[in-house]
Amino acid sequence: MRKRWTLLVTLALFPLWLTACSTEGGNNPLAAVYTGQSTHYYPAAFQPTLAAATQVLERMHCVIFKVDSAGPSARERVIHARNGQMLVDVTVIPKGPQVTAVVSRFGLLGSVQDDQRFHLLLKSALGLR
């Protein structure tokens, strides 16, 4: 009986816990888990975008320690870096001849400020407004 009561209380309180995890205060449960990771599409070729992403990470004082190939055709590149104690992963994905997607995550749960700064600097490095 006690186990059943504990289970019922846990199930009843679980949605409240999910809401408490939301950092934006909206109707987005578990927003904290995905905060700081975003995908941006840039009207630029893959190689210049990859080079610009690497330069921006270095400009942000990140130490790049590995670049992996990923994806089904191994055309994607994942840049693994570190900024102090924060792990950084940036994935650059070709989407077309002049379209490249860039997915970034700063830290375990993500840092919105670092993510926004990265994409702002990347946009500037690619010569976009």
Side-chain angles (χ1 to χ4, degrees):
M1 180 72 175
R2 183 173 174 100
K3 287 182 183 180
R4 184 176 294 161
W5 175 252
T6 304
L7 179 62
L8 287 174
V9 170
T10 303
L11 290 176
L13 295 177
F14 189 68
L16 294 173
W17 178 78
L18 289 178
T19 304
C21 287
S22 176
T23 59
E24 297 179 20
N27 296 328
N28 301 332
L30 292 178
V33 175
Y34 296 105
T35 300
Q37 175 176 327
S38 63
T39 303
H40 292 252
Y41 294 87
Y42 294 97
F46 174 74
Q47 286 299 333
T49 305
L50 179 62
T54 304
Q55 290 171 356
V56 167
L57 286 172
E58 290 172 353
R59 185 173 171 191
M60 292 177 71
H61 306 289
C62 295
V63 176
I64 297 170
F65 55 88
K66 190 163 126 181
V67 178
D68 288 333
S69 296
S73 63
R75 292 176 46 208
E76 300 174 13
R77 297 289 186 271
V78 181
I79 304 168
H80 302 282
R82 171 168 258 149
N83 187 344
Q85 296 298 319
M86 180 172 50
L87 293 176
V88 179
D89 286 329
V90 174
T91 305
V92 182
I93 309 162
K95 292 293 186 180
Q98 289 296 319
V99 179
T100 305
V102 178
V103 182
S104 61
R105 172 171 292 289
F106 287 80
L108 184 61
L109 293 178
S111 167
V112 176
Q113 290 175 333
D114 289 325
D115 184 65
Q116 289 174 345
R117 182 171 172 238
F118 170 78
H119 284 288
L120 184 69
L121 291 172
L122 181 58
K123 195 174 177 182
S124 175
L126 290 170
L128 304 171
R129 290 184 179 214

